[in-house]
Each structure stands twice: as structure tokens, then as C-alpha cells.
């Protein structure tokens, strides 16, 4: 384990379902991120949170709704998704935003939208 | 537009052999470049970071090089092992932009090591 835990690891949902992905970090980091990883494509940044405040929303459709109740937890609420949203969703954290800060990733949540 | 291109897309080698992965980038202004290793079913893990003034850095059997003039980096793996089978991702940080920094990810090179 890297110190960043994601649940569930696998999720299958219909287009009309509502589900949530959860991320928890035990590293005392101040920044948390959601990335989308699709096959043969670079990681796409979705959201960035700094000390519970959203600092980036990278033109993500509103069917994805993030929530950061505290600096250790991050959620991604999913509603009315499309099949093209099927992907691996990675949560990451970092101490802050200085150039040398490394991202620590969770193992990801594999989402399949039917 | 900031871009990171990796080659080859995929690579198959025999255990014990060496290999080199390439990363070309157009990110400017440049801050640093990281190589990540992503095992199947896991998130990426940082292998090494290269700053502007560094040409070579080693981490065990992994050696990264950086040529900031030509905007190229390579990751050389020596005496490959089965556990080296993974996706290797090159990530370049932009020195400008927002305070949280802009990261540009490559699409990764999938390495498969056969016994």
C-alpha cells in the first residue's frame, strides 16, 4: 500500500445509476487529485483540491461531482454516466504544490459503465 | 501546446536483457521530468526525477538521462527482471502556470519481460 487507499477497486454501473468513488490518504498531504486513465491515453487531470478547496476543474462534465470533506478524504460522485466514461480512476495526493513534490497514487477504481 | 511523446508504445524483451525507453517533450518552461512505473492493477510509482541541471540519475537498475537542449529523456533498464513488466510513464512539469503546477503525461510504454 502506498498510503493512498481507493474503494471500490472495481465498479460496474448502468447509465442511470448513482455511485461514488472514495479515496483516503494517511500521509498528511495537503493536496488531493482525481485523474482519469483510459487505455493507450495519457492520464487526464480531472480535479485538484488544496486543503479541501477545489483549485482546478479541468472541464469535466457535471455528471462527475467531487467532494473533499477534509484533507484526508476525497470522493467522486458519479451520476448518469456514459459508456465512454469507463476507465481507471486514480486518486493521488502530494504534500503541496512545489516542483519537487511527488504524486502518491492509489491503486485506482476500475469503472465500467454499461 | 505542451506535449509528451513516448516510444515505443510497447516492447517485449527477454529476461536479463537491457532496454531503453524514450520520452520527447515540448513543455516550456521546463521544471522537471519524472519517470513513473505502473504495475498492472496499481497506481503509478515514481522512479526518478530529473531537473534542468541533471544529465543522468540512477535508481538501482534504472538509469534516466535528460538532454534539456533537445528536450529528450530516456530510461535505461539493465539486466531486466520479470518484475520490470509494467507501464512506464514520463511526466513533465511546467515551471509556469498555476501554483499547483501543470503536469503533462506521456501515454506510457508497456514493457513485457519474458522468461
Amino acid at each position: 500500500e502506498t498510503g493512498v487507499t481507493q474503494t471500490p477497486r472495481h465498479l460496474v454501473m448502468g447509465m442511470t445509476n448513482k455511485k461514488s468513488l472514495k479515496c483516503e490518504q494517511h500521509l498528511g498531504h495537503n493536496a488531493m487529485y482525481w485523474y482519469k486513465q483510459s487505455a493507450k491515453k495519457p492520464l487526464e487531470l480531472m480535479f485538484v483540491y488544496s486543503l479541501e478547496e477545489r483549485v482546478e476543474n479541468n472541464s469535466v462534465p457535471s455528471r462527475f461531482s467531487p467532494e473533499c470533506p477534509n484533507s484526508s478524504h476525497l470522493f467522486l460522485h458519479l451520476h448518469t454516466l456514459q459508456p465512454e466514461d469507463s476507465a481507471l480512476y486514480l486518486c493521488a495526493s502530494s504534500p503541496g504544490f512545489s516542483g519537487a513534490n511527488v504524486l502518491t497514487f492509489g491503486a485506482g477504481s476500475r469503472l465500467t459503465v454499461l | 501546446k505542451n506535449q509528451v511523446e513516448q516510444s515505443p508504445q510497447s516492447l517485449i524483451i527477454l529476461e536479463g536483457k537491457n532496454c531503453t525507453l524514450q520520452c520527447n517533450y515540448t513543455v516550456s518552461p521546463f521544471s522537471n521530468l519524472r519517470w513513473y512505473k505502473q504495475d498492472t492493477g496499481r497506481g503509478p510509482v515514481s522512479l526518478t526525477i530529473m531537473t534542468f541541471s541533471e544529465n543522468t540519475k540512477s535508481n538501482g537498475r534504472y538509469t534516466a538521462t535528460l538532454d534539456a537542449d533537445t528536450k529528450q529523456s530516456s530510461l535505461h533498464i539493465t539486466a531486466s527482471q520479470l518484475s520490470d513488466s509494467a507501464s512506464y510513464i514520463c511526466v513533465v512539469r511546467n515551471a509556469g502556470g498555476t501554483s499547483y503546477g501543470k503536469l503533462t503525461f506521456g501515454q506510457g510504454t508497456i514493457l513485457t519481460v519474458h522468461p
Side-chain angles (χ1 to χ4, degrees):
Chain A
E1 289 297 330
T2 62
V4 178
T5 304
Q6 291 188 242
T7 55
R9 293 293 310 275
H10 299 273
L11 177 63
V12 179
M13 60 186 289
M15 293 168 61
T16 58
N17 292 158
K18 286 185 180 180
K19 297 286 184 183
S20 296
L21 306 181
K22 178 182 177 182
C23 176
E24 185 174 0
Q25 59 100 358
H26 306 280
L27 303 169
H29 287 172
N30 292 325
M32 296 188 76
Y33 311 75
W34 279 116
Y35 283 91
K36 177 183 179 182
Q37 187 174 35
S38 304
K40 299 184 180 179
K41 293 177 66 176
L43 268 71
E44 301 172 53
L45 178 65
M46 300 177 72
F47 302 104
V48 181
Y49 276 82
S50 170
L51 295 171
E52 302 147 45
E53 178 185 351
R54 189 191 311 178
V55 296
E56 171 79 349
N57 177 345
N58 204 21
S59 302
V60 178
S62 59
R63 57 185 183 269
F64 294 92
S65 174
E67 178 190 2
C68 188
N70 55 63
S71 59
S72 299
H73 293 85
L74 186 65
F75 294 88
L76 188 62
H77 302 301
L78 316 171
H79 176 50
T80 321
L81 295 190
Q82 305 298 311
E84 60 264 29
D85 296 323
S86 298
L88 181 68
Y89 289 85
L90 290 166
C91 173
S93 69
S94 66
F97 297 129
S98 79
N101 282 171
V102 63
L103 293 175
T104 301
F105 286 90
S109 293
R110 173 70 62 185
L111 173 66
T112 302
V113 181
L114 301 176
Chain B
K1 181 183 177 184
N2 292 328
Q3 287 187 310
V4 175
E5 296 288 339
Q6 291 187 243
S7 61
Q9 260 195 339
S10 60
L11 181 63
I12 299 174
I13 62 174
L14 292 176
E15 187 177 13
K17 298 296 186 181
N18 303 334
C19 67
T20 300
L21 313 180
Q22 299 289 344
C23 173
N24 296 339
Y25 62 92
T26 60
V27 176
S28 181
F30 174 86
S31 176
N32 60 53
L33 181 150
R34 279 190 191 273
W35 283 94
Y36 283 85
K37 178 187 180 190
Q38 184 174 18
D39 292 315
T40 301
R42 293 181 173 265
V45 175
S46 177
L47 290 174
T48 185
I49 179 173
M50 306 290 290
T51 58
F52 187 86
S53 59
E54 295 174 308
N55 298 119
T56 304
K57 184 177 285 187
S58 292
N59 177 4
R61 295 180 296 101
Y62 299 102
T63 299
T65 66
L66 175 66
D67 186 332
D69 292 330
T70 61
K71 297 186 177 180
Q72 296 179 323
S73 177
S74 66
L75 182 68
H76 185 74
I77 304 175
T78 305
S80 61
Q81 300 176 358
L82 298 179
S83 59
D84 292 330
S85 295
S87 177
Y88 292 83
I89 303 171
C90 176
V91 185
V92 181
R93 179 181 289 272
N94 188 326
T98 57
S99 60
Y100 57 86
K102 273 289 190 184
L103 298 179
T104 303
F105 288 77
Q107 82 279 20
T109 292
I110 299 173
L111 174 66
T112 304
V113 180
H114 283 164

